[in-house]
Short mmCIF file of all heavy atoms in Angstrom, two decimals:
data_model
loop_
_atom_site.label_atom_id
_atom_site.label_comp_id
_atom_site.label_asym_id
_atom_site.label_seq_id
_atom_site.Cartn_x
_atom_site.Cartn_y
_atom_site.Cartn_z
N MET R 1 -6.10 1.20 -23.22
CA MET R 1 -5.04 1.60 -22.30
C MET R 1 -4.94 0.76 -21.12
O MET R 1 -5.89 0.58 -20.39
CB MET R 1 -5.34 3.11 -21.95
CG MET R 1 -4.17 3.67 -21.21
SD MET R 1 -4.43 5.41 -20.91
CE MET R 1 -4.74 5.44 -19.23
N THR R 2 -3.84 0.12 -20.85
CA THR R 2 -3.68 -0.80 -19.75
C THR R 2 -2.65 -0.25 -18.74
O THR R 2 -2.16 -1.12 -18.00
CB THR R 2 -3.35 -2.21 -20.28
OG1 THR R 2 -2.05 -2.08 -20.93
CG2 THR R 2 -4.34 -2.80 -21.26
N ASP R 3 -2.28 1.01 -18.79
CA ASP R 3 -1.26 1.48 -17.87
C ASP R 3 -1.76 1.58 -16.48
O ASP R 3 -2.81 2.15 -16.21
CB ASP R 3 -0.77 2.91 -18.37
CG ASP R 3 0.63 3.27 -17.89
OD1 ASP R 3 1.23 2.38 -17.37
OD2 ASP R 3 0.95 4.45 -18.05
N GLU R 4 -1.07 1.01 -15.62
CA GLU R 4 -1.31 0.93 -14.12
C GLU R 4 -1.08 2.29 -13.65
O GLU R 4 -0.05 2.94 -13.83
CB GLU R 4 -0.51 -0.23 -13.47
CG GLU R 4 -0.72 -0.26 -11.95
CD GLU R 4 0.14 -1.27 -11.31
OE1 GLU R 4 1.08 -1.77 -11.93
OE2 GLU R 4 -0.19 -1.66 -10.14
N LEU R 5 -1.97 2.78 -12.68
CA LEU R 5 -1.82 3.97 -11.98
C LEU R 5 -1.38 3.71 -10.52
O LEU R 5 -1.98 2.99 -9.87
CB LEU R 5 -2.99 4.96 -11.96
CG LEU R 5 -3.45 5.39 -13.35
CD1 LEU R 5 -4.86 6.01 -13.26
CD2 LEU R 5 -2.45 6.28 -14.00
N LEU R 6 -0.19 4.34 -10.20
CA LEU R 6 0.38 4.03 -8.90
C LEU R 6 0.13 5.22 -7.92
O LEU R 6 0.05 6.38 -8.40
CB LEU R 6 1.81 3.84 -9.05
CG LEU R 6 2.27 2.73 -9.93
CD1 LEU R 6 3.87 2.85 -10.18
CD2 LEU R 6 1.93 1.36 -9.46
N THR R 7 -0.11 4.94 -6.66
CA THR R 7 -0.15 5.91 -5.63
C THR R 7 1.19 6.47 -5.27
O THR R 7 2.22 5.86 -5.53
CB THR R 7 -0.91 5.38 -4.42
OG1 THR R 7 -0.08 4.27 -3.72
CG2 THR R 7 -2.31 4.87 -4.72
N VAL R 8 1.24 7.59 -4.64
CA VAL R 8 2.48 8.10 -4.14
C VAL R 8 3.21 7.10 -3.11
O VAL R 8 4.35 6.82 -3.33
CB VAL R 8 2.37 9.40 -3.51
CG1 VAL R 8 3.52 9.91 -2.85
CG2 VAL R 8 1.91 10.54 -4.54
N PRO R 9 2.39 6.62 -2.20
CA PRO R 9 3.12 5.53 -1.30
C PRO R 9 3.64 4.35 -2.06
O PRO R 9 4.72 3.76 -1.64
CB PRO R 9 1.90 4.96 -0.41
CG PRO R 9 1.10 6.37 -0.28
CD PRO R 9 1.10 6.96 -1.70
N GLU R 10 2.89 3.84 -3.16
CA GLU R 10 3.48 2.73 -3.99
C GLU R 10 4.82 3.16 -4.59
O GLU R 10 5.73 2.35 -4.69
CB GLU R 10 2.50 2.23 -5.03
CG GLU R 10 1.28 1.60 -4.39
CD GLU R 10 0.16 1.29 -5.41
OE1 GLU R 10 -0.06 2.18 -6.34
OE2 GLU R 10 -0.66 0.35 -5.06
N VAL R 11 4.91 4.48 -5.12
CA VAL R 11 6.09 4.88 -5.82
C VAL R 11 7.15 5.09 -4.67
O VAL R 11 8.40 4.74 -5.00
CB VAL R 11 5.88 6.26 -6.55
CG1 VAL R 11 7.16 6.96 -6.99
CG2 VAL R 11 4.95 5.97 -7.66
N MET R 12 6.90 5.52 -3.58
CA MET R 12 7.85 5.65 -2.46
C MET R 12 8.55 4.36 -2.28
O MET R 12 9.67 4.23 -2.06
CB MET R 12 7.12 6.20 -1.16
CG MET R 12 6.68 7.63 -1.25
SD MET R 12 5.55 8.00 0.06
CE MET R 12 6.44 7.56 1.56
N VAL R 13 7.69 3.14 -2.07
CA VAL R 13 8.15 1.90 -1.93
C VAL R 13 9.15 1.46 -3.01
O VAL R 13 10.15 0.89 -2.70
CB VAL R 13 7.06 0.89 -1.56
CG1 VAL R 13 7.57 -0.56 -1.60
CG2 VAL R 13 6.36 1.22 -0.27
N ARG R 14 8.71 1.58 -4.28
CA ARG R 14 9.39 1.19 -5.41
C ARG R 14 10.72 1.89 -5.54
O ARG R 14 11.76 1.23 -5.90
CB ARG R 14 8.62 1.29 -6.72
CG ARG R 14 7.47 0.25 -6.68
CD ARG R 14 6.61 0.38 -7.89
NE ARG R 14 5.47 -0.38 -7.89
CZ ARG R 14 4.76 -0.84 -8.92
NH1 ARG R 14 5.19 -0.66 -10.14
NH2 ARG R 14 3.74 -1.63 -8.83
N LEU R 15 10.78 3.17 -5.25
CA LEU R 15 12.05 4.02 -5.31
C LEU R 15 12.82 3.94 -4.06
O LEU R 15 13.95 4.57 -4.02
CB LEU R 15 11.68 5.36 -5.84
CG LEU R 15 11.14 5.47 -7.24
CD1 LEU R 15 10.90 6.92 -7.51
CD2 LEU R 15 12.06 5.02 -8.28
N ARG R 16 12.16 3.52 -2.95
CA ARG R 16 12.71 3.56 -1.65
C ARG R 16 13.12 5.04 -1.30
O ARG R 16 14.27 5.30 -0.89
CB ARG R 16 13.87 2.64 -1.52
CG ARG R 16 13.47 1.21 -1.61
CD ARG R 16 14.62 0.23 -1.28
NE ARG R 16 14.06 -1.03 -1.31
CZ ARG R 16 14.67 -2.08 -1.81
NH1 ARG R 16 15.76 -1.99 -2.44
NH2 ARG R 16 14.13 -3.32 -1.89
N LEU R 17 12.20 5.93 -1.56
CA LEU R 17 12.36 7.41 -1.21
C LEU R 17 11.22 7.83 -0.28
O LEU R 17 10.17 7.11 -0.19
CB LEU R 17 12.26 8.23 -2.50
CG LEU R 17 13.43 7.94 -3.50
CD1 LEU R 17 13.14 8.74 -4.78
CD2 LEU R 17 14.70 8.36 -2.98
N GLY R 18 11.43 8.91 0.29
CA GLY R 18 10.50 9.54 1.21
C GLY R 18 9.40 10.30 0.41
O GLY R 18 9.51 10.61 -0.77
N ARG R 19 8.18 10.56 1.12
CA ARG R 19 7.06 11.18 0.55
C ARG R 19 7.48 12.52 -0.08
O ARG R 19 7.15 12.92 -1.13
CB ARG R 19 5.91 11.41 1.56
CG ARG R 19 4.71 12.17 1.07
CD ARG R 19 3.83 12.36 2.14
NE ARG R 19 3.21 11.01 2.55
CZ ARG R 19 2.11 10.56 1.97
NH1 ARG R 19 1.51 11.10 0.90
NH2 ARG R 19 1.64 9.38 2.31
N SER R 20 8.16 13.42 0.65
CA SER R 20 8.56 14.76 0.23
C SER R 20 9.50 14.62 -1.04
O SER R 20 9.28 15.45 -1.99
CB SER R 20 9.25 15.58 1.29
OG SER R 20 10.34 14.93 1.74
N THR R 21 10.34 13.71 -1.12
CA THR R 21 11.22 13.52 -2.31
C THR R 21 10.35 13.02 -3.60
O THR R 21 10.55 13.83 -4.57
CB THR R 21 12.27 12.47 -1.99
OG1 THR R 21 13.02 12.84 -0.84
CG2 THR R 21 13.16 12.41 -3.28
N VAL R 22 9.37 12.38 -3.40
CA VAL R 22 8.55 11.94 -4.55
C VAL R 22 7.73 13.14 -4.91
O VAL R 22 7.61 13.40 -6.04
CB VAL R 22 7.59 10.72 -4.19
CG1 VAL R 22 6.62 10.49 -5.19
CG2 VAL R 22 8.44 9.43 -3.79
N TYR R 23 7.15 13.87 -4.01
CA TYR R 23 6.42 15.10 -4.37
C TYR R 23 7.34 16.13 -5.00
O TYR R 23 6.89 16.89 -5.87
CB TYR R 23 5.63 15.61 -3.21
CG TYR R 23 4.37 15.02 -3.09
CD1 TYR R 23 4.10 14.13 -1.95
CD2 TYR R 23 3.28 15.14 -3.80
CE1 TYR R 23 2.96 13.54 -1.71
CE2 TYR R 23 2.13 14.49 -3.66
CZ TYR R 23 1.92 13.67 -2.58
OH TYR R 23 0.64 13.11 -2.35
N ASP R 24 8.62 16.23 -4.60
CA ASP R 24 9.58 17.22 -5.27
C ASP R 24 9.79 16.80 -6.71
O ASP R 24 9.94 17.66 -7.54
CB ASP R 24 10.84 17.19 -4.43
CG ASP R 24 10.78 17.94 -3.13
OD1 ASP R 24 9.76 18.80 -2.96
OD2 ASP R 24 11.66 17.80 -2.27
N LEU R 25 9.96 15.47 -6.89
CA LEU R 25 10.11 14.90 -8.25
C LEU R 25 8.94 15.26 -9.14
O LEU R 25 9.04 15.75 -10.36
CB LEU R 25 10.35 13.42 -8.32
CG LEU R 25 11.68 12.87 -7.68
CD1 LEU R 25 11.65 11.45 -7.59
CD2 LEU R 25 12.81 13.36 -8.57
N ILE R 26 7.72 15.17 -8.60
CA ILE R 26 6.55 15.53 -9.37
C ILE R 26 6.41 16.98 -9.57
O ILE R 26 6.18 17.41 -10.64
CB ILE R 26 5.25 15.05 -8.55
CG1 ILE R 26 5.16 13.52 -8.56
CG2 ILE R 26 3.90 15.68 -9.19
CD1 ILE R 26 4.12 12.97 -7.57
N ARG R 27 6.67 17.80 -8.55
CA ARG R 27 6.66 19.38 -8.72
C ARG R 27 7.70 19.84 -9.70
O ARG R 27 7.40 20.71 -10.55
CB ARG R 27 7.01 20.02 -7.40
CG ARG R 27 5.74 20.47 -6.62
CD ARG R 27 6.15 21.33 -5.39
NE ARG R 27 6.87 20.59 -4.47
CZ ARG R 27 6.26 19.81 -3.60
NH1 ARG R 27 5.05 19.61 -3.55
NH2 ARG R 27 7.12 19.22 -2.62
N SER R 28 8.80 19.26 -9.81
CA SER R 28 9.95 19.62 -10.72
C SER R 28 9.75 19.15 -12.10
O SER R 28 10.33 19.48 -12.96
CB SER R 28 11.31 19.14 -10.22
OG SER R 28 11.38 17.68 -10.35
N GLY R 29 8.63 18.31 -12.34
CA GLY R 29 8.41 17.76 -13.62
C GLY R 29 9.30 16.50 -14.07
O GLY R 29 9.13 16.03 -15.20
N ARG R 30 10.12 16.04 -13.11
CA ARG R 30 10.94 14.89 -13.45
C ARG R 30 10.18 13.68 -13.46
O ARG R 30 10.52 12.61 -14.04
CB ARG R 30 12.08 14.82 -12.58
CG ARG R 30 13.02 16.09 -12.67
CD ARG R 30 14.10 16.11 -11.61
NE ARG R 30 15.02 14.95 -11.90
CZ ARG R 30 15.85 14.63 -10.95
NH1 ARG R 30 15.96 15.20 -9.77
NH2 ARG R 30 16.65 13.51 -11.21
N LEU R 31 9.01 13.55 -12.67
CA LEU R 31 8.25 12.39 -12.62
C LEU R 31 6.72 12.82 -12.91
O LEU R 31 6.18 13.76 -12.22
CB LEU R 31 8.24 11.85 -11.13
CG LEU R 31 7.37 10.58 -10.87
CD1 LEU R 31 7.91 9.44 -11.75
CD2 LEU R 31 7.50 10.13 -9.49
N THR R 32 6.19 12.36 -14.00
CA THR R 32 4.83 12.74 -14.50
C THR R 32 3.84 12.10 -13.60
O THR R 32 3.93 10.94 -13.20
CB THR R 32 4.77 12.27 -15.95
OG1 THR R 32 5.80 12.75 -16.67
CG2 THR R 32 3.31 12.70 -16.53
N SER R 33 2.83 12.91 -13.22
CA SER R 33 1.71 12.35 -12.51
C SER R 33 0.35 13.03 -13.12
O SER R 33 0.37 13.99 -13.79
CB SER R 33 1.85 12.78 -11.08
OG SER R 33 1.74 14.12 -10.84
N ILE R 34 -0.76 12.57 -12.65
CA ILE R 34 -2.02 13.16 -12.88
C ILE R 34 -2.86 13.19 -11.64
O ILE R 34 -2.51 12.54 -10.61
CB ILE R 34 -2.80 12.15 -13.92
CG1 ILE R 34 -3.11 10.80 -13.40
CG2 ILE R 34 -2.13 12.04 -15.24
CD1 ILE R 34 -4.05 9.96 -14.16
N THR R 35 -3.84 14.09 -11.61
CA THR R 35 -4.68 14.18 -10.56
C THR R 35 -6.13 13.87 -10.96
O THR R 35 -6.58 14.29 -11.84
CB THR R 35 -4.65 15.71 -10.03
OG1 THR R 35 -3.33 16.06 -9.76
CG2 THR R 35 -5.52 15.90 -8.79
N ILE R 36 -6.75 13.00 -10.03
CA ILE R 36 -8.09 12.57 -10.16
C ILE R 36 -8.78 12.97 -8.93
O ILE R 36 -8.63 12.42 -7.95
CB ILE R 36 -8.25 11.09 -10.51
CG1 ILE R 36 -7.35 10.65 -11.75
CG2 ILE R 36 -9.65 10.73 -10.73
CD1 ILE R 36 -7.17 9.19 -11.84
N GLY R 37 -9.68 14.07 -9.20
CA GLY R 37 -10.24 14.62 -7.94
C GLY R 37 -9.17 15.08 -7.10
O GLY R 37 -8.34 16.06 -7.45
N ARG R 38 -8.99 14.67 -5.83
CA ARG R 38 -7.87 15.06 -4.93
C ARG R 38 -6.75 14.01 -4.93
O ARG R 38 -5.77 14.31 -4.24
CB ARG R 38 -8.42 15.30 -3.48
CG ARG R 38 -9.43 16.51 -3.41
CD ARG R 38 -9.81 16.74 -2.13
NE ARG R 38 -8.77 17.00 -1.18
CZ ARG R 38 -8.96 16.99 0.05
NH1 ARG R 38 -10.13 16.78 0.65
NH2 ARG R 38 -7.95 17.24 0.90
N ALA R 39 -6.89 12.91 -5.70
CA ALA R 39 -5.94 11.84 -5.60
C ALA R 39 -4.79 12.07 -6.69
O ALA R 39 -5.17 12.41 -7.89
CB ALA R 39 -6.65 10.52 -5.91
N ARG R 40 -3.61 11.88 -6.29
CA ARG R 40 -2.45 11.93 -7.19
C ARG R 40 -2.12 10.54 -7.57
O ARG R 40 -1.90 9.72 -6.76
CB ARG R 40 -1.27 12.63 -6.44
CG ARG R 40 0.02 12.77 -7.24
CD ARG R 40 0.02 13.80 -8.25
NE ARG R 40 -0.24 15.10 -7.74
CZ ARG R 40 -0.24 16.17 -8.47
NH1 ARG R 40 -0.06 16.09 -9.77
NH2 ARG R 40 -0.39 17.31 -7.93
N ARG R 41 -1.94 10.41 -8.84
CA ARG R 41 -1.53 9.08 -9.42
C ARG R 41 -0.33 9.25 -10.41
O ARG R 41 -0.40 10.22 -11.10
CB ARG R 41 -2.71 8.37 -10.13
CG ARG R 41 -3.86 8.02 -9.27
CD ARG R 41 -3.56 6.94 -8.17
NE ARG R 41 -4.61 6.71 -7.29
CZ ARG R 41 -4.76 7.12 -6.09
NH1 ARG R 41 -3.96 7.98 -5.65
NH2 ARG R 41 -5.77 6.76 -5.32
N ILE R 42 0.62 8.25 -10.40
CA ILE R 42 1.71 8.25 -11.29
C ILE R 42 1.48 7.04 -12.21
O ILE R 42 1.46 5.80 -11.65
CB ILE R 42 3.01 8.13 -10.50
CG1 ILE R 42 3.08 9.27 -9.58
CG2 ILE R 42 4.24 8.02 -11.50
CD1 ILE R 42 2.63 9.16 -8.20
N PRO R 43 1.44 7.19 -13.51
CA PRO R 43 1.41 6.05 -14.44
C PRO R 43 2.65 5.22 -14.37
O PRO R 43 3.77 5.78 -14.18
CB PRO R 43 1.29 6.70 -15.87
CG PRO R 43 0.84 8.14 -15.55
CD PRO R 43 1.35 8.45 -14.25
N ALA R 44 2.52 4.01 -14.34
CA ALA R 44 3.62 2.98 -14.28
C ALA R 44 4.64 3.25 -15.27
O ALA R 44 5.87 3.20 -15.16
CB ALA R 44 3.23 1.58 -14.26
N SER R 45 4.23 3.66 -16.52
CA SER R 45 5.08 3.90 -17.55
C SER R 45 5.96 5.24 -17.31
O SER R 45 7.08 5.30 -17.70
CB SER R 45 4.36 4.14 -18.91
OG SER R 45 3.41 5.22 -18.78
N ALA R 46 5.41 6.22 -16.57
CA ALA R 46 6.05 7.37 -16.22
C ALA R 46 7.17 7.01 -15.19
O ALA R 46 8.35 7.60 -15.32
CB ALA R 46 5.18 8.42 -15.71
N LEU R 47 6.91 6.13 -14.35
CA LEU R 47 7.90 5.65 -13.45
C LEU R 47 9.04 4.89 -14.08
O LEU R 47 10.21 5.09 -13.87
CB LEU R 47 7.26 4.75 -12.32
CG LEU R 47 8.21 4.24 -11.23
CD1 LEU R 47 8.89 5.35 -10.47
CD2 LEU R 47 7.55 3.33 -10.31
N ARG R 48 8.70 3.93 -15.11
CA ARG R 48 9.74 3.34 -15.86
C ARG R 48 10.59 4.27 -16.61
O ARG R 48 11.89 4.18 -16.72
CB ARG R 48 9.15 2.30 -16.86
CG ARG R 48 8.57 1.12 -16.14
CD ARG R 48 8.11 0.04 -17.13
NE ARG R 48 7.11 0.52 -18.02
CZ ARG R 48 5.75 0.38 -17.69
NH1 ARG R 48 5.41 -0.16 -16.58
NH2 ARG R 48 4.78 0.78 -18.55
N GLU R 49 9.98 5.37 -17.23
CA GLU R 49 10.73 6.41 -18.00
C GLU R 49 11.67 7.13 -17.06
O GLU R 49 12.80 7.41 -17.44
CB GLU R 49 9.82 7.37 -18.62
CG GLU R 49 9.07 6.78 -19.82
CD GLU R 49 7.89 7.70 -20.37
OE1 GLU R 49 7.96 8.84 -20.08
OE2 GLU R 49 7.05 7.27 -21.09
N PHE R 50 11.23 7.44 -15.83
CA PHE R 50 12.01 8.15 -14.91
C PHE R 50 13.26 7.30 -14.48
O PHE R 50 14.43 7.81 -14.49
CB PHE R 50 11.24 8.51 -13.61
CG PHE R 50 12.07 9.04 -12.51
CD1 PHE R 50 12.48 10.38 -12.57
CD2 PHE R 50 12.36 8.32 -11.43
CE1 PHE R 50 13.28 10.91 -11.47
CE2 PHE R 50 13.15 8.68 -10.39
CZ PHE R 50 13.57 10.02 -10.50
N ILE R 51 13.04 6.09 -14.28
CA ILE R 51 14.15 5.26 -13.83
C ILE R 51 15.16 5.02 -15.00
O ILE R 51 16.35 5.13 -14.88
CB ILE R 51 13.66 3.78 -13.37
CG1 ILE R 51 12.87 4.07 -12.05
CG2 ILE R 51 14.75 2.84 -13.27
CD1 ILE R 51 12.03 2.81 -11.71
N THR R 52 14.66 4.91 -16.26
CA THR R 52 15.52 4.70 -17.42
C THR R 52 16.43 5.99 -17.66
O THR R 52 17.52 5.93 -18.00
CB THR R 52 14.65 4.47 -18.68
OG1 THR R 52 13.84 3.28 -18.50
CG2 THR R 52 15.43 4.38 -19.96
N HIS R 53 15.70 7.11 -17.47
CA HIS R 53 16.37 8.35 -17.64
C HIS R 53 17.47 8.56 -16.48
O HIS R 53 18.58 9.07 -16.86
CB HIS R 53 15.34 9.66 -17.54
CG HIS R 53 16.04 10.92 -17.64
ND1 HIS R 53 16.49 11.38 -18.84
CD2 HIS R 53 16.33 11.99 -16.82
CE1 HIS R 53 17.01 12.57 -18.79
NE2 HIS R 53 16.91 12.93 -17.45
N GLN R 54 17.21 8.27 -15.38
CA GLN R 54 18.22 8.26 -14.24
C GLN R 54 19.33 7.36 -14.50
O GLN R 54 20.53 7.77 -14.28
CB GLN R 54 17.62 7.90 -12.89
CG GLN R 54 16.57 8.97 -12.39
CD GLN R 54 17.09 10.32 -12.18
OE1 GLN R 54 16.73 11.26 -12.97
NE2 GLN R 54 17.99 10.38 -11.26
N ILE R 55 19.13 6.25 -15.09
CA ILE R 55 20.16 5.26 -15.34
C ILE R 55 21.09 5.79 -16.60
O ILE R 55 22.31 5.82 -16.53
CB ILE R 55 19.63 3.87 -15.84
CG1 ILE R 55 19.00 3.20 -14.57
CG2 ILE R 55 20.67 2.98 -16.53
CD1 ILE R 55 18.18 1.96 -14.88
N ALA R 56 20.43 6.45 -17.56
CA ALA R 56 21.15 6.99 -18.74
C ALA R 56 21.97 8.15 -18.27
O ALA R 56 23.07 8.32 -18.64
CB ALA R 56 20.12 7.53 -19.81
N GLU R 57 21.43 9.03 -17.27
CA GLU R 57 22.17 10.15 -16.78
C GLU R 57 23.51 9.69 -15.98
O GLU R 57 24.47 10.28 -15.99
CB GLU R 57 21.35 10.99 -15.86
CG GLU R 57 20.51 11.93 -16.68
CD GLU R 57 19.91 12.91 -15.64
OE1 GLU R 57 20.01 12.86 -14.36
OE2 GLU R 57 19.13 13.81 -16.21
N ALA R 58 23.34 8.56 -15.35
CA ALA R 58 24.39 8.02 -14.49
C ALA R 58 25.43 7.42 -15.29
O ALA R 58 26.69 7.25 -14.81
CB ALA R 58 23.84 7.01 -13.41
N ALA R 59 25.21 7.02 -16.48
CA ALA R 59 26.18 6.24 -17.37
C ALA R 59 27.14 7.33 -17.87
O ALA R 59 27.07 8.35 -18.01
CB ALA R 59 25.39 5.56 -18.43
#
């Protein structure tokens, strides 16, 4: 498995969204994440899927 795990701040930068918006996406299940101890991580593949889904919805 070579999937990169991103931090919430890294996702914030990539999506140009605020912290609360990213956590809302996670809470709503629209953006998949995992918890390791107390750390929240988002697989890069989950971020790509989220973006692809958003593009498809907009079309």
Side-chain angles (χ1 to χ4, degrees):
M1 186 170 111
T2 60
D3 202 9
E4 179 182 11
L5 295 175
L6 305 170
T7 64
V8 169
E10 289 172 332
V11 172
M12 290 167 54
V13 168
R14 291 182 186 203
L15 294 178
R16 294 189 174 136
L17 295 173
R19 177 180 294 274
S20 60
T21 303
V22 172
Y23 277 109
D24 286 343
L25 291 171
I26 292 168
R27 256 190 299 282
S28 69
R30 294 175 66 199
L31 182 61
T32 303
S33 70
I34 61 171
T35 303
I36 304 170
R38 292 181 59 192
R40 175 76 60 179
R41 297 292 181 262
I42 298 93
S45 60
L47 181 58
R48 285 190 299 274
E49 288 172 17
F50 171 77
I51 293 168
T52 301
H53 181 73
Q54 291 302 113
I55 292 170
E57 275 188 359

